[in-house]
Amino acid sequence: MASEAQVLTPAVKKSSSSSTLVRVGKYTLVRLITLFVTVVIGVYLTILIANMGGYVDNIMRAEIQERITLQASQSQAWKNMDTETRQKFVEDKIALEVKRLGLDQPMVVRSFRYLFNALTLNLGRAQNMTSDSGSKTVRLIILERLPATLLLLGSANLILFFGSITIALSLSRRYGSFWDKLIITLSPTSAAPPWFYGIFLILIFAALLKIMPFGGLVDAPPPENRIEYLLSVLKHLVLPASALIISGLFLTIYNWRTFFLIYSSEDYVEMAKAKGLVSRDIERRYILRPTLPTIITNFALLLIGLWTGAIITETVFLWPGLGRTLFRAIGLYDIPVIVASTIIYAYLLAITVFLLDFLYALVDPRVKIGSGS
Amino acid sequence: MNTLRKTFQQISRYPSAVAGSIVIALLVIVAVFTMITIPYKEAIRLWRGGEEVWYQNPKYAAPSWVNLFNKKKLPVSFTIGDGDDAMTKTVEQRGEGTSRITTLYTFDYNYDGFPQELLLYFKTIYTEKQPFVSITWKTPDGRELRIADFGVDPTVTYRFSQDEKLKRRLGGGNAVEALFADPNSEELIPLKGTYQVVMLATAFEEGSDLNAEFVFHGQVFGLAGTDHQRRDLMVPLLWGVPIALAFGLVASLGTSVLTMIIAAIGAWYRGWVDELIQRVTEVNLVLPFLPILIMVGTFFSRSIWVILGVTILLSIFTGAIKGYRAIFLQVRESMYVEAARAYGASDIRIIFVYLIPRMIPLLIPGLVSSVPAFVFLEASLAVLGLGDPVLPTWGKIINDAQTNAALYQGYYYWILEPAVLLMITGLGFAMLGFALDRIFNPRLRGL
């Protein structure tokens, strides 16, 4: 309707183009600010939760006390000191460690410092964790694990995404066929999470058939040869990736199929069929085109979802990815690592949400930025 | 009433919905049965009791029904104690306060494997001088083997495999296997037939008595098997049912009802209330759900009720709230709401009496289909080692099995039993929810 009105009255169009710019500009600004405020609040809440309102501080202090006292009682060099000197030495060391972790400052002050550092992506140094290469820099700890997670989740999710869309498209054409009914029947199986299927896969292929490894990234010891190393990684990748794919497959196919079916019952699709267009053309021009915004949204969310890793699947398969690093960081009360993981996800999400608005307008001429959302 | 009957008629047309309903009904029956037959306190005692509760059970024993599928029959665990037919006890007074107590334990052994361990749990009564026992082993082919002779303390456990003297006398190998081994066979195979343990005891005081329980740790146990701490897995498997149902249902009910109420309030009042709800939803999207649950579990409390509360809290403000809001915004403009406003109904009355009931058909499918996600969430946290420290749940069994490398060691039953139950529960709710979605959602009905 709107486009029709524009065609009929070209004079109005000109005056509206400058107002479009203002509208888009204003919308962009408001959207950016709300997204930023959302990120700030979300990250600050995470920081507070990671600290449990000072509760974790007490745990950490007790832990430092215990560790250093134990160290003192076991150290040969300190044994020769008299009790008083040793006591003072221990207290100094505890104070130093408390200061290193920033526990001497109140939580409120520290929480804002964490927030500020996080927002400026100054990820800093981990408190208790070290990377496998021995670094305490949060950036390095994360970068070290990123490839493993990207490999696992990337391969699994991309196969899942494109595989399910392709299958769903062909199913929506064969509506009511045997395969269609099979997918509908199997879709409740997606109620179980990937790790659950992982356990079954390990049971069948690793324990019973002994053709696949139980877990890990490569054989131990890792092969010297680069090609052998790659093959070994691929072999270890098969089971966890299959677990991720199986868990999502049937429900994803079902959802896409239903979604495409709704669009294929539109009048213009019927019209195209009546015109005698090839089914491939109908799919591409009349079904995929209007559903493109949804497909893009899902794909974008998939991409940023890679960042979080799959905590439990990685744990079950002993896969050295980001999810397991985050889990380990929580176990070690390492707030910088937890916050770093959260802030990067929050930024990625905010940027994606922001860009998607513009992308919709690009791929779908019916969408106008900043009008009545 | 009519619509209810119509709904049931429609449900009965979907075979998956019927199957799902049957599974759910069975689970509810099992849950009620469990809570009546094994009261909560008893379940906790059996789950966390300690060695004195579990001593009768072997370690890592598969369930007895594996013998149905195996050609090689594995020995089933049993216990012979006071009052059992297999035990005969005779007391013979010898004068001067001395008495002679003869206890016979008789059992048939028709298995192809060897037991894990044989034990005698003694309970004796005496004041100064301890009774003295000598134990003899009688095999089906008539051999008599001397096991041990010793004075018995008030409570003492005699383990056949840990008696070094017995081991040496039997040739240095595994004593339990040597007791059952067929002497005429080249290979190490057990001799089948009736075995007997003869325990001759002499008590030296008036009123002194000796009782012993003979415990046979086979390789299979009960209907569910046992774990690394000799616990009967039947207890957590059965108790896992009510816990999983309670967690799943309370979480999904709490989440969907609260989501709906909040969406209705936002849509009704509009303005800043609506705006606030929208912003909170966006903030909630940024919060990492699973890591926060893990943090609460690690730092604060692993109690299932705390985790449940946090789960509900984090699941209210999700995408669903936007969907409900959009529909409420439409309903709010409808004529009957207008009429309600005209007769002067209060805001609260309109929200709870006019807006929300309208949405219940939409609520039910979502509620049922989200149950499996919560059931699996509880299991997932347990697999990460954050299960409730007190309650016996399916997730905890899987966690125990994982930490003891059950799959690697070949204790498949240990993981399969809880996993199959989880799968059945998840599928039951998912199938019903799926069908309900197609019934209540007219857009999907034809598809």
Side-chain angles (χ1 to χ4, degrees), chain B residues 45-70:
Chain B
R45 192 183 71 86
L46 289 173
W47 179 240
R48 295 169 53 82
E51 199 61 25
E52 68 273 15
V53 181
W54 308 318
Y55 70 93
Q56 294 186 346
N57 312 348
K59 262 185 195 184
Y60 303 117
S64 301
W65 45 260
V66 295
N67 274 345
L68 295 177
F69 306 104
N70 273 342

mmCIF file of all heavy atoms in Angstrom, chain B residues 45-70:
data_model
loop_
_atom_site.group_PDB
_atom_site.id
_atom_site.type_symbol
_atom_site.label_atom_id
_atom_site.label_comp_id
_atom_site.label_asym_id
_atom_site.label_seq_id
_atom_site.Cartn_x
_atom_site.Cartn_y
_atom_site.Cartn_z
ATOM 1 N N ARG B 45 18.220 -41.828 53.709
ATOM 2 C CA ARG B 45 19.075 -42.743 54.479
ATOM 3 C C ARG B 45 19.728 -43.754 53.540
ATOM 4 O O ARG B 45 20.930 -44.013 53.618
ATOM 5 C CB ARG B 45 18.231 -43.473 55.534
ATOM 6 C CG ARG B 45 19.035 -44.238 56.582
ATOM 7 C CD ARG B 45 18.117 -44.977 57.528
ATOM 8 N NE ARG B 45 17.481 -46.107 56.874
ATOM 9 C CZ ARG B 45 18.035 -47.319 56.793
ATOM 10 N NH1 ARG B 45 19.205 -47.550 57.315
ATOM 11 N NH2 ARG B 45 17.392 -48.294 56.180
ATOM 12 N N LEU B 46 18.936 -44.283 52.607
ATOM 13 C CA LEU B 46 19.485 -45.270 51.688
ATOM 14 C C LEU B 46 20.499 -44.645 50.726
ATOM 15 O O LEU B 46 21.418 -45.300 50.262
ATOM 16 C CB LEU B 46 18.353 -45.906 50.868
ATOM 17 C CG LEU B 46 17.430 -46.838 51.632
ATOM 18 C CD1 LEU B 46 16.270 -47.258 50.762
ATOM 19 C CD2 LEU B 46 18.193 -48.068 52.115
ATOM 20 N N TRP B 47 20.332 -43.372 50.433
ATOM 21 C CA TRP B 47 21.186 -42.707 49.453
ATOM 22 C C TRP B 47 22.468 -42.185 50.083
ATOM 23 O O TRP B 47 23.516 -42.164 49.477
ATOM 24 C CB TRP B 47 20.394 -41.582 48.793
ATOM 25 C CG TRP B 47 21.121 -40.777 47.767
ATOM 26 C CD1 TRP B 47 21.355 -39.431 47.816
ATOM 27 C CD2 TRP B 47 21.701 -41.236 46.544
ATOM 28 N NE1 TRP B 47 22.035 -39.038 46.705
ATOM 29 C CE2 TRP B 47 22.265 -40.111 45.901
ATOM 30 C CE3 TRP B 47 21.801 -42.482 45.935
ATOM 31 C CZ2 TRP B 47 22.921 -40.203 44.678
ATOM 32 C CZ3 TRP B 47 22.451 -42.561 44.715
ATOM 33 C CH2 TRP B 47 22.999 -41.433 44.102
ATOM 34 N N ARG B 48 22.364 -41.720 51.320
ATOM 35 C CA ARG B 48 23.531 -41.102 51.947
ATOM 36 C C ARG B 48 23.961 -41.825 53.210
ATOM 37 O O ARG B 48 24.821 -41.330 53.942
ATOM 38 C CB ARG B 48 23.208 -39.641 52.302
ATOM 39 C CG ARG B 48 22.955 -38.792 51.099
ATOM 40 C CD ARG B 48 22.377 -37.456 51.486
ATOM 41 N NE ARG B 48 23.148 -36.740 52.491
ATOM 42 C CZ ARG B 48 24.212 -36.016 52.219
ATOM 43 N NH1 ARG B 48 24.612 -35.880 51.000
ATOM 44 N NH2 ARG B 48 24.858 -35.397 53.178
ATOM 45 N N GLY B 49 23.357 -42.973 53.469
ATOM 46 C CA GLY B 49 23.521 -43.632 54.757
ATOM 47 C C GLY B 49 24.953 -43.924 55.168
ATOM 48 O O GLY B 49 25.404 -43.561 56.233
ATOM 49 N N GLY B 50 25.723 -44.603 54.345
ATOM 50 C CA GLY B 50 27.069 -45.003 54.736
ATOM 51 C C GLY B 50 27.199 -46.504 54.665
ATOM 52 O O GLY B 50 26.242 -47.206 54.321
ATOM 53 N N GLU B 51 28.379 -46.986 54.989
ATOM 54 C CA GLU B 51 28.730 -48.394 54.785
ATOM 55 C C GLU B 51 27.766 -49.343 55.506
ATOM 56 O O GLU B 51 27.433 -50.395 54.987
ATOM 57 C CB GLU B 51 30.172 -48.614 55.267
ATOM 58 C CG GLU B 51 30.837 -49.851 54.724
ATOM 59 C CD GLU B 51 30.959 -49.864 53.194
ATOM 60 O OE1 GLU B 51 30.971 -48.786 52.574
ATOM 61 O OE2 GLU B 51 31.029 -50.972 52.658
ATOM 62 N N GLU B 52 27.263 -48.946 56.689
ATOM 63 C CA GLU B 52 26.393 -49.882 57.430
ATOM 64 C C GLU B 52 25.041 -50.074 56.737
ATOM 65 O O GLU B 52 24.332 -51.024 57.006
ATOM 66 C CB GLU B 52 26.220 -49.438 58.897
ATOM 67 C CG GLU B 52 25.451 -48.178 59.111
ATOM 68 C CD GLU B 52 26.352 -46.951 59.035
ATOM 69 O OE1 GLU B 52 27.500 -47.041 58.539
ATOM 70 O OE2 GLU B 52 25.912 -45.899 59.460
ATOM 71 N N VAL B 53 24.689 -49.140 55.834
ATOM 72 C CA VAL B 53 23.441 -49.305 55.085
ATOM 73 C C VAL B 53 23.676 -50.149 53.841
ATOM 74 O O VAL B 53 22.841 -50.923 53.430
ATOM 75 C CB VAL B 53 22.872 -47.925 54.693
ATOM 76 C CG1 VAL B 53 21.567 -48.077 53.932
ATOM 77 C CG2 VAL B 53 22.659 -47.079 55.931
ATOM 78 N N TRP B 54 24.861 -49.991 53.254
ATOM 79 C CA TRP B 54 25.073 -50.581 51.930
ATOM 80 C C TRP B 54 25.911 -51.865 51.952
ATOM 81 O O TRP B 54 26.204 -52.416 50.900
ATOM 82 C CB TRP B 54 25.794 -49.566 51.025
ATOM 83 C CG TRP B 54 25.142 -48.241 50.981
ATOM 84 C CD1 TRP B 54 23.812 -48.008 50.904
ATOM 85 C CD2 TRP B 54 25.770 -46.957 51.006
ATOM 86 N NE1 TRP B 54 23.564 -46.666 50.873
ATOM 87 C CE2 TRP B 54 24.741 -45.997 50.942
ATOM 88 C CE3 TRP B 54 27.090 -46.525 51.068
ATOM 89 C CZ2 TRP B 54 24.998 -44.630 50.944
ATOM 90 C CZ3 TRP B 54 27.346 -45.173 51.066
ATOM 91 C CH2 TRP B 54 26.308 -44.235 51.011
ATOM 92 N N TYR B 55 26.327 -52.329 53.163
ATOM 93 C CA TYR B 55 27.308 -53.414 53.203
ATOM 94 C C TYR B 55 26.848 -54.684 52.498
ATOM 95 O O TYR B 55 27.646 -55.468 52.035
ATOM 96 C CB TYR B 55 27.684 -53.732 54.661
ATOM 97 C CG TYR B 55 26.588 -54.393 55.455
ATOM 98 C CD1 TYR B 55 26.507 -55.775 55.541
ATOM 99 C CD2 TYR B 55 25.627 -53.638 56.117
ATOM 100 C CE1 TYR B 55 25.495 -56.378 56.247
ATOM 101 C CE2 TYR B 55 24.611 -54.232 56.811
ATOM 102 C CZ TYR B 55 24.547 -55.600 56.879
ATOM 103 O OH TYR B 55 23.544 -56.213 57.572
ATOM 104 N N GLN B 56 25.499 -54.869 52.422
ATOM 105 C CA GLN B 56 25.013 -56.093 51.801
ATOM 106 C C GLN B 56 25.175 -56.094 50.291
ATOM 107 O O GLN B 56 25.016 -57.109 49.646
ATOM 108 C CB GLN B 56 23.535 -56.284 52.134
ATOM 109 C CG GLN B 56 23.300 -56.534 53.604
ATOM 110 C CD GLN B 56 21.857 -56.858 53.878
ATOM 111 O OE1 GLN B 56 20.998 -56.651 53.040
ATOM 112 N NE2 GLN B 56 21.599 -57.361 55.067
ATOM 113 N N ASN B 57 25.461 -54.912 49.709
ATOM 114 C CA ASN B 57 25.483 -54.822 48.249
ATOM 115 C C ASN B 57 26.907 -54.895 47.732
ATOM 116 O O ASN B 57 27.824 -54.342 48.333
ATOM 117 C CB ASN B 57 24.887 -53.500 47.790
ATOM 118 C CG ASN B 57 23.576 -53.203 48.463
ATOM 119 O OD1 ASN B 57 22.996 -54.065 49.112
ATOM 120 N ND2 ASN B 57 23.118 -51.980 48.339
ATOM 121 N N PRO B 58 27.081 -55.535 46.585
ATOM 122 C CA PRO B 58 28.397 -55.515 45.941
ATOM 123 C C PRO B 58 28.641 -54.162 45.284
ATOM 124 O O PRO B 58 27.716 -53.365 45.129
ATOM 125 C CB PRO B 58 28.286 -56.620 44.897
ATOM 126 C CG PRO B 58 26.832 -56.712 44.604
ATOM 127 C CD PRO B 58 26.099 -56.328 45.842
ATOM 128 N N LYS B 59 29.884 -53.910 44.903
ATOM 129 C CA LYS B 59 30.224 -52.681 44.174
ATOM 130 C C LYS B 59 30.044 -52.908 42.690
ATOM 131 O O LYS B 59 30.296 -54.008 42.210
ATOM 132 C CB LYS B 59 31.697 -52.358 44.402
ATOM 133 C CG LYS B 59 31.954 -51.332 45.459
ATOM 134 C CD LYS B 59 33.443 -51.023 45.497
ATOM 135 C CE LYS B 59 33.761 -50.287 46.767
ATOM 136 N NZ LYS B 59 35.146 -49.884 46.826
ATOM 137 N N TYR B 60 29.730 -51.844 41.966
ATOM 138 C CA TYR B 60 29.652 -51.879 40.496
ATOM 139 C C TYR B 60 28.930 -53.114 39.969
ATOM 140 O O TYR B 60 29.399 -53.756 39.031
ATOM 141 C CB TYR B 60 31.063 -51.892 39.879
ATOM 142 C CG TYR B 60 31.950 -50.759 40.265
ATOM 143 C CD1 TYR B 60 33.124 -50.981 40.967
ATOM 144 C CD2 TYR B 60 31.626 -49.458 39.910
ATOM 145 C CE1 TYR B 60 33.964 -49.936 41.312
ATOM 146 C CE2 TYR B 60 32.459 -48.409 40.248
ATOM 147 C CZ TYR B 60 33.624 -48.657 40.946
ATOM 148 O OH TYR B 60 34.452 -47.624 41.274
ATOM 149 N N ALA B 61 27.841 -53.517 40.616
ATOM 150 C CA ALA B 61 27.143 -54.712 40.158
ATOM 151 C C ALA B 61 26.088 -54.328 39.146
ATOM 152 O O ALA B 61 25.328 -53.385 39.355
ATOM 153 C CB ALA B 61 26.501 -55.420 41.339
ATOM 154 N N ALA B 62 26.029 -55.051 38.049
ATOM 155 C CA ALA B 62 25.010 -54.801 37.030
ATOM 156 C C ALA B 62 23.669 -55.295 37.558
ATOM 157 O O ALA B 62 23.621 -56.080 38.509
ATOM 158 C CB ALA B 62 25.383 -55.528 35.754
ATOM 159 N N PRO B 63 22.569 -54.844 36.981
ATOM 160 C CA PRO B 63 21.260 -55.364 37.420
ATOM 161 C C PRO B 63 21.116 -56.841 37.092
ATOM 162 O O PRO B 63 21.708 -57.336 36.138
ATOM 163 C CB PRO B 63 20.261 -54.508 36.636
ATOM 164 C CG PRO B 63 21.026 -53.881 35.542
ATOM 165 C CD PRO B 63 22.437 -53.769 35.992
ATOM 166 N N SER B 64 20.295 -57.549 37.894
ATOM 167 C CA SER B 64 20.180 -59.009 37.739
ATOM 168 C C SER B 64 19.647 -59.406 36.380
ATOM 169 O O SER B 64 19.959 -60.480 35.881
ATOM 170 C CB SER B 64 19.244 -59.572 38.803
ATOM 171 O OG SER B 64 19.742 -59.276 40.059
ATOM 172 N N TRP B 65 18.812 -58.545 35.767
ATOM 173 C CA TRP B 65 18.190 -58.968 34.505
ATOM 174 C C TRP B 65 19.179 -59.082 33.353
ATOM 175 O O TRP B 65 18.821 -59.565 32.293
ATOM 176 C CB TRP B 65 17.013 -58.077 34.141
ATOM 177 C CG TRP B 65 17.232 -56.604 34.284
ATOM 178 C CD1 TRP B 65 16.826 -55.818 35.315
ATOM 179 C CD2 TRP B 65 17.906 -55.736 33.377
ATOM 180 N NE1 TRP B 65 17.196 -54.525 35.114
ATOM 181 C CE2 TRP B 65 17.859 -54.436 33.936
ATOM 182 C CE3 TRP B 65 18.540 -55.914 32.153
ATOM 183 C CZ2 TRP B 65 18.440 -53.342 33.314
ATOM 184 C CZ3 TRP B 65 19.115 -54.822 31.535
ATOM 185 C CH2 TRP B 65 19.054 -53.549 32.119
ATOM 186 N N VAL B 66 20.438 -58.661 33.538
ATOM 187 C CA VAL B 66 21.388 -58.873 32.441
ATOM 188 C C VAL B 66 21.581 -60.360 32.187
ATOM 189 O O VAL B 66 21.935 -60.770 31.090
ATOM 190 C CB VAL B 66 22.764 -58.201 32.683
ATOM 191 C CG1 VAL B 66 22.646 -56.706 32.724
ATOM 192 C CG2 VAL B 66 23.426 -58.747 33.915
ATOM 193 N N ASN B 67 21.315 -61.209 33.229
ATOM 194 C CA ASN B 67 21.445 -62.659 33.047
ATOM 195 C C ASN B 67 20.477 -63.202 32.008
ATOM 196 O O ASN B 67 20.713 -64.254 31.424
ATOM 197 C CB ASN B 67 21.200 -63.374 34.381
ATOM 198 C CG ASN B 67 22.477 -63.455 35.189
ATOM 199 O OD1 ASN B 67 23.561 -63.247 34.654
ATOM 200 N ND2 ASN B 67 22.344 -63.754 36.468
ATOM 201 N N LEU B 68 19.366 -62.485 31.796
ATOM 202 C CA LEU B 68 18.395 -62.938 30.796
ATOM 203 C C LEU B 68 18.978 -62.863 29.393
ATOM 204 O O LEU B 68 18.599 -63.606 28.506
ATOM 205 C CB LEU B 68 17.124 -62.080 30.862
ATOM 206 C CG LEU B 68 16.305 -62.160 32.147
ATOM 207 C CD1 LEU B 68 15.139 -61.209 32.078
ATOM 208 C CD2 LEU B 68 15.805 -63.590 32.358
ATOM 209 N N PHE B 69 19.892 -61.907 29.191
ATOM 210 C CA PHE B 69 20.420 -61.693 27.843
ATOM 211 C C PHE B 69 21.777 -62.347 27.645
ATOM 212 O O PHE B 69 22.250 -62.443 26.534
ATOM 213 C CB PHE B 69 20.534 -60.190 27.562
ATOM 214 C CG PHE B 69 19.249 -59.466 27.794
ATOM 215 C CD1 PHE B 69 19.060 -58.685 28.916
ATOM 216 C CD2 PHE B 69 18.207 -59.597 26.889
ATOM 217 C CE1 PHE B 69 17.866 -58.032 29.122
ATOM 218 C CE2 PHE B 69 17.010 -58.941 27.081
ATOM 219 C CZ PHE B 69 16.832 -58.163 28.209
ATOM 220 N N ASN B 70 22.404 -62.765 28.747
ATOM 221 C CA ASN B 70 23.739 -63.341 28.633
ATOM 222 C C ASN B 70 23.667 -64.848 28.704
ATOM 223 O O ASN B 70 22.908 -65.410 29.493
ATOM 224 C CB ASN B 70 24.620 -62.845 29.789
ATOM 225 C CG ASN B 70 25.282 -61.545 29.437
ATOM 226 O OD1 ASN B 70 25.360 -61.194 28.264
ATOM 227 N ND2 ASN B 70 25.736 -60.834 30.438
#
